[in-house]
Amino acid sequence: MSTRPWIVDDDLWLLIELSLPPWPERSPGARPVPDRLCLPGILYVLFNDIALLPLELGFGSGQTCRRRLDRRQQAGVFDRLHRILLAEWNAAGELDWSRTCVDGSHIRPQWGARQPVRSPDPSRATRRTTRRPCAANSDAAGPCR
């Protein structure tokens, strides 16, 4: 492992660059900071668990990196990249699947799935309640239930 794991080598950058959505042709403001500089800034913040990115590192401003991270996350770049890297490492035999843990946090629930039908429990006695009728102009004391 490198002493600076937030630095992205050229081979990995080619895979990342292919999964990035194109930048808008006519974006307002100054010319954007290149993605090649922002990604190491994002990785630096995540790896070192800091809130602000020091400008002297040359990754662009922390706010630029944060906005870029949000855009890329919403576009699904990191999920696609995760799948690509897993497939590539699996094909190269570099993954040890014997220590795999299955987790349901990344699986969306199936909306509209059939729920099991619960049969009433005969051992529980049903409690009957009586309700008094509620008239709109009733002078009865207390709230209607």
Side-chain angles (χ1 to χ4, degrees), residues 40-89:
I42 292 168
L43 296 176
Y44 181 84
V45 168
L46 294 175
F47 184 79
N48 291 310
D49 196 25
I50 59 174
L52 297 173
L53 183 64
L55 283 174
E56 61 268 7
L57 293 175
F59 298 134
S61 73
Q63 187 61 36
T64 300
C65 291
R66 193 170 295 118
R67 280 192 305 260
R68 201 69 59 89
L69 174 63
D70 286 341
R71 281 189 193 135
R72 300 310 182 226
Q73 184 66 32
Q74 289 174 1
V77 169
F78 296 110
D79 290 335
R80 270 195 312 270
L81 185 61
H82 186 233
R83 286 188 202 105
I84 290 170
L85 291 175
L86 279 177
E88 189 171 299
W89 290 334

Side-chain angles (χ1 to χ4, degrees), residues 104 106-115:
H106 295 292
I107 299 172
R108 292 188 174 178
Q110 294 181 357
W111 298 108
R114 293 179 179 234
Q115 297 292 325

Side-chain angles (χ1 to χ4, degrees), residues 5-60:
W6 53 86
I7 301 300
V8 178
D9 65 346
D10 293 334
D11 296 332
L12 181 58
W13 175 249
L14 288 175
L15 286 174
I16 295 169
E17 192 174 29
L18 292 174
S19 65
L20 293 177
W23 194 259
E25 290 290 324
R26 300 182 67 197
S27 60
R31 188 165 183 83
V33 176
D35 286 322
R36 181 75 193 244
L37 288 178
C38 281
L39 182 65
I42 292 168
L43 296 176
Y44 181 84
V45 168
L46 294 175
F47 184 79
N48 291 310
D49 196 25
I50 59 174
L52 297 173
L53 183 64
L55 283 174
E56 61 268 7
L57 293 175
F59 298 134

